[in-house]
Amino acid sequence: MKKNKLWSMAIAAILALSLVGCGKEAEPAKEDGILLGVSQIGSESAWRIGNTRDIEEQADRYGINLMMENANQKQENQIAAIRRFIAYKVDVIAFSPIVEEGWDNVLKEAKEAGIPVILVDRELKTSQQGLTTCLIGADFYKEGVMAAEYLIRKADSLGLEHVNIVEITGTQNSTPMVQRQAGFFDTISEDSRMNILESIDGDFLKSRGAECMRYLLDTYGDTIDVVYSHNDEMTLGALPEIEKADFVPGQDIIIISIDGGQEAINVLKEGKINCVVECTPKLGKALMETALKLKAGEAVEPVIHPEEEVFSDEQDTSLIAPRGY
Ligand code: AHR
């Protein structure tokens, strides 16, 4: 072996060892020739944009060829994208279903074509078993439970005897909407102080969050004690409406949000949001590793839920690290 080749091997080994020593994640082995078709819901929130970016970055890290399509919030666009992936004969399909119903036909087509389907972020309902392989996404029910548990602690600390709540929900019949509501309702139902004034569909959009809040303030005025909003985007839309109506968010009205994007965390630090339950969009790494296993014919975990936490005024919010989305 030539002397300069020996030198470059030695330097590469030292570099690799020093990276391990720095705690930096080792680069995964790059795979050749795997084609992954991903149908993304749209760009409705900072969460979604962060999720898209993470999937693209992780596909690049793993050397996986990505066909990524943005469905612009329409189920029919997702179905058309999946049909294109089947026609292209991709190795694996992944998608985040905008709503839970209406996927049977296209999933049967994927199964007939022998292409495994991974659910990322959201779940769906099918009339037959085995049309999808696994789910990589948050435990939305637990997020609703954590939001309610925070509220119960807050009501205790303020000595509240009666708590009127308005709920701004995500897209009707989407998994995060259904489960965040169920987890929250199940938990507050054990506390007789809690009363839901109204639940209203904000579709996970900032503009709808503002519209819903205007309506709720017009209807219930100063009887509102709590806004429980299913995502940061709607919360950020609702806050200026609360201020315009001369209420101080975070003080006159308790604000509870879900996602934990940087903008909402900044507002939490200002005291205008009381609690943000984390929902991480960083699902790309688990998605790439699962796609590789499926391509290799290996078994995969049926459900992968990332670890998530709660950020709130119960802690020193200045210590919350930058969120990255
Ligand atoms: O499915 C995850 C949800 O979808 C996020 O909470 C929300 O921000 C996004 O639009």
Side-chain angles (χ1 to χ4, degrees), residues 44-45 47-48 121-122 140 176 180 204 230-231 259:
E44 74 279 10
S45 59
W47 188 100
R48 187 68 53 200
D121 167 36
R122 299 186 185 180
F140 297 125
R180 284 173 183 166
F204 285 125
H230 284 197
N231 84 341
D259 275 357

Side-chain angles (χ1 to χ4, degrees), residues 41 44-48 73 96 121-122 140 143 171 174-176 180 203-205 230-233 258-259 279:
I41 290 176
E44 74 279 10
S45 59
W47 188 100
R48 187 68 53 200
Q73 322 305 132
S96 174
D121 167 36
R122 299 186 185 180
F140 297 125
E143 291 173 353
T171 308
S174 68
T175 318
R180 284 173 183 166
D203 205 13
F204 285 125
L205 297 170
H230 284 197
N231 84 341
D232 288 348
E233 227 59 43
I258 300 189
D259 275 357
C279 176

